[in-house]
Structures are given as structure tokens and as C-alpha cells.
Amino acid sequence: MGKPTGFIEFLREVASEVSPSDRIRNWDEFHLHMDEDKLRTQGARCMDCGIPFCHTGTVISGMASGCPINNLIPEFNDLVYRGLWHEALDRLHKTNNFPEFTGRVCPAPCEGACVLGINNPPVTIKNIECAIIDKGWDEGWIAPNPPTQRTGKRVAVIGSGPAGISAAAQLNQAGHWVTVYERADRPGGLLMYGIPNMKLEKQSVVMRRLNVLEAEGVTFVCNTEVGKDLPVEQLLKEFDAVILCTGATKPRDLPIEGRDLKGIHFAMDFLTANTQAVLDQTETPLSARGKDVVIIGGGDTGTDCVGTSIRHSCNSLVQLEIMPKPPRRALCG
Ligand SMILES: Cc1cc2nc3c(=O)[nH]c(=O)nc-3n(C[C@H](O)[C@H](O)[C@H](O)COP(=O)(O)OP(=O)(O)OC[C@H]3O[C@@H](n4cnc5c(N)ncnc54)[C@H](O)[C@@H]3O)c2cc1C
Ligand code: SF4
């Protein structure tokens, strides 16, 4: 624990954001970087708890509490406080293959579980995680690191979402030859075509990591749906093991009166078409421009549709949510 009185002395502060009126003009990420000094101060707020609930991922009443991948949070908070960024990055990579993704889009159950959050705003764990990995990339500390020995075994991974690429990264490091099959035209699963660009940039963040995996020896085969374009029997013949990481493509429908009217779309059709258009620099076939939009669902996916519709310059927007309206200010920060 770097500073025993840090949690008493310093208030929670998060990175500032591009103003809403500016950010809706483009698809760029809108979280700005924080000064190193400020990040170190935020790291000093960590109490290095005897029982760090932040890092113990567990399920309470069906909801995740603490970090599901058991990131070594008190350790990297302390290392950041002491300015030991490279060591913090090593610690972060011990449990997390892709901190630049989680540091941006994880809902941070670690912060919800942070002990300091009982009577104060919790430690800014997600912000610190993101700063560590971004610094790692900026400093050139992250470079292809292929395994020194190969086992000669071949593994096929079906699906290139976070599950598929994490499995590929681990198996490749263990020395196996890994081929990832993806039915979409680009790898990344929902990192690429679900989460919109302003929350997770595709070229500068997602592809940057996938390029490193490729340079380490992982092969990506896109536009190939296993079971349709490629028979399963062929995979079983050519590979020693096959891993299924195909995600959950099936949308949850709402079979109510009027469902078959024109102009009603699933979120993923809308979001995928949009990201494809952003990346290909074309017009999306499903634009909300000039339309009066109703979004059913107030979770992350609904929010992504709000941000996308507003960037399309929709005429009006209403979002419907079954849960009560949350308070205007978060209770813990
Ligand atoms: C709109 C949206 C926004 C989200 N935002 C967030 C967020 O902000 N934070 C967060 O933590 N989580 C978020 N999530 C959830 C998160 O994206 C998923 O939990 C995560 O992507 C699941 O990873 P996965 O690898 O299991 O599956 P996926 O990411 O779905 O990847 C599966 C891949 O398998 C491919 N595939 C399927 N079948 C085949 C086949 N037969 N052959 C070849 N390829 C195949 C699919 O094309 C897909 O690319 C969001 C989800 C959505 C839909
Ligand atoms: S629970 Fe909060 S204060 Fe305690 S170790 Fe984790 S981040 Fe630090």
C-alpha cells in the first residue's frame, strides 16, 4: 500500500470526456487521458484491503461482484502510485490478455465491490487499468512475443470474439498452432461489430491487438462459417482440438402486436451495419437520420443504439426501460 492515508486525503477523480455536443459529430472515442500525477493520486486511494473484494470475482444474487478475471487490483494500484508503470503492466497482463478492451468497456464490477465504496466513492480501478495498458502501448512495451517452442499440435478456434481470441492467445503462447475461423468479414466478434466505435475504436485498439496476435503466429480466417462454408468433419480431421467460441447470435424478440410493422429492427442489425459503414467509409443502409426513434431497452445495447442514432442525426429519440429510472447522480461516485 503506497500511501496509508490516501483514501482520506484524495477525492475520486475520473478522466474527463469530450463534451456531448462535440462527441456526437464523429465516431471517435470520447474519454480523454488523465495526467500521470492525477492517476498516481487515484492509485494512492487504494487501501490494499486485507480482503480485496475488488479482485475476487464472485456471483452474488446472479450478478457479478468483483473482477471476474481476478485482476491483481491492489497490486497494480500500488505500483501506479509508486510510478512503476512497467511492473504494473506485467501484473495486469498476468490475468488479462486484453486490458485495453476491458479498461474501456468492462462494466467494472470491481468498482461496485470496492471496500472504499462502502462510505466513499470507490477507487477508479477501470481508469487506472486503461491508463496502464495505454501507457504500455505508447511506450512500445507491447510487441509480438511468439513462443520459443512449438508443440506441433494444431487447434481450431471457431469464433473470434473476446472468448475466441483469449483462447487463441493462451494456446498460441503454450506453443500450439492456432487457427481462428470467423464468419464475419472482420475478426473481433462483438468487439468489432457489437460495441460501437466511440466506445471501442476498431482500427487503433481492436485491430492493433489482433495484429500482434497474428505476428505471434495466430492465423485468422474470416468470411468462413464453420458448418456451412467449412464442414466440421474437415476441421476434426485437420486439427488436434476444436474450441467453440461462437457467442450468442440469436436476438431476444418481442412478439407483441405490431412487431411485424416496417421500420422495426434488432439492435445488432442496426449496430453491425453502422460499424461496417464507418469502417468502409460508406453510408449505412439502416440510418436513423431524420427519423423519430424509439429504443426498447435501457441497457448497454440500448445505450449504444442511442449514441448511434444521435450520431446519425435522428429527429427525436425516446428510450423505454422496464426498470425504475436511476438517480441523476450515482450514489457512490
Ligand atoms: C451491442 C452490444 C454491446 C455490448 N457492450 C458491452 C460492453 O460495453 N461491455 C461489456 O463488457 N460487454 C458488452 N457486450 C457483451 C460482450 O460483447 C459479449 O459478452 C462478448 O462479446 C461475448 O464474447 P464471445 O467471444 O463469447 O462472443 P462474440 O463476441 O459474439 O463472438 C462470437 C463470434 O463467433 C462467430 N461465429 C459464430 N458462429 C460461427 C461459425 N459457425 N463459424 C465461424 N464463426 C462463427 C460470430 O460471428 C462472432 O464473431 C455487448 C454486447 C452487445 C451485443
Ligand atoms: S477493494 Fe478498493 S480499496 Fe480495497 S484493495 Fe480493492 S481497490 Fe483497493
Side-chain angles (χ1 to χ4, degrees):
M1 181 177 183
K3 182 147 206 215
T5 52
F7 69 100
I8 301 170
E9 285 177 51
F10 307 120
L11 295 176
R12 175 181 165 107
E13 218 180 312
V14 289
S16 50
E17 297 174 344
V18 177
S19 75
S21 55
D22 284 337
R23 76 172 81 139
I24 59 168
R25 294 173 204 279
N26 57 54
W27 301 97
D28 299 343
E29 270 187 21
F30 53 86
H31 294 287
L32 301 172
H33 278 109
M34 209 173 186
D35 289 348
E36 253 183 62
D37 281 353
K38 283 192 174 173
L39 285 160
R40 292 179 63 176
T41 304
Q42 291 304 307
R45 293 186 70 239
C46 176
M47 305 184 292
D48 191 14
C49 302
I51 300 177
F53 290 108
C54 58
H55 117 129
T56 314
T58 180
V59 175
I60 301 175
S61 303
M63 289 185 354
S65 172
C67 179
I69 53 170
N70 306 118
N71 278 346
L72 302 168
I73 294 165
E75 296 183 27
F76 69 59
N77 282 339
D78 174 53
L79 290 165
V80 164
Y81 167 66
R82 292 194 279 140
L84 299 172
W85 290 89
H86 205 308
E87 287 80 352
L89 181 66
D90 290 344
R91 218 53 65 98
L92 187 50
H93 267 149
K94 278 193 188 304
T95 54
N96 190 339
N97 294 94
F98 312 120
E100 66 273 37
F101 306 157
T102 50
R104 285 175 167 76
V105 298
C106 174
C110 53
E111 293 190 16
C114 171
V115 177
L116 186 54
I118 292 172
N119 64 343
N120 260 304
V123 175
T124 57
I125 302 167
K126 179 171 161 179
N127 209 19
I128 290 174
E129 174 182 345
C130 198
I132 295 169
I133 185 70
D134 283 354
K135 189 171 174 69
W137 284 104
D138 290 348
E139 297 286 337
W141 294 334
I142 299 160
N145 178 28
T148 45
Q149 276 192 326
R150 289 287 175 184
T151 61
K153 300 276 183 206
R154 287 165 51 81
V155 182
V157 175
I158 310 177
S160 66
I165 55 174
S166 303
Q170 292 293 123
L171 290 162
N172 185 59
Q173 279 305 316
H176 309 310
W177 289 113
V178 182
T179 303
V180 182
Y181 290 95
E182 171 55 55
R183 71 178 166 201
D185 59 342
R186 291 182 172 91
L190 292 174
L191 295 174
M192 179 61 71
Y193 281 136
I195 303 170
N197 203 70
M198 62 276 190
K199 273 170 66 180
L200 183 63
E201 286 200 346
K202 308 306 161 198
Q203 293 299 350
S204 61
V205 180
V206 179
M207 285 313 298
R208 176 179 61 182
R209 179 62 83 164
L210 295 179
N211 290 339
V212 169
L213 289 184
E214 210 160 24
E216 288 176 341
V218 176
T219 304
F220 289 93
V221 181
C222 290
N223 295 308
T224 304
E225 182 168 348
V226 174
K228 196 168 142 202
D229 306 311
L230 184 65
V232 178
E233 296 72 29
Q234 189 178 329
L235 277 193
L236 293 174
K237 214 183 293 167
E238 289 179 10
F239 291 89
D240 297 286
V242 177
I243 305 192
L244 300 179
C245 302
T246 49
T249 309
K250 194 163 180 236
R252 186 163 161 221
D253 207 347
L254 193 58
I256 54 174
E257 192 185 339
R259 170 66 185 86
D260 50 355
L261 291 174
K262 255 175 65 183
I264 301 174
H265 305 282
F266 284 122
M268 274 304 293
D269 295 339
F270 177 59
L271 295 171
T272 303
N274 183 68
T275 298
Q276 227 148 12
V278 170
L279 293 175
D280 295 341
Q281 299 186 342
T282 55
E283 286 288 313
T284 171
L286 277 183
S287 176
R289 188 181 181 82
K291 301 234 166 33
D292 297 304
V293 178
V294 176
I295 290 166
I296 304 177
D300 265 0
T301 301
T303 309
D304 293 345
C305 294
V306 171
T308 302
S309 301
I310 290 176
R311 280 166 180 75
H312 285 172
S313 304
C314 63
N315 187 45
S316 69
L317 197 150
V318 174
Q319 190 176 21
L320 302 175
E321 165 59 41
I322 203 165
M323 301 291 281
K325 195 169 185 173
R328 284 189 71 77
R329 212 166 60 84
L331 293 176
C332 62

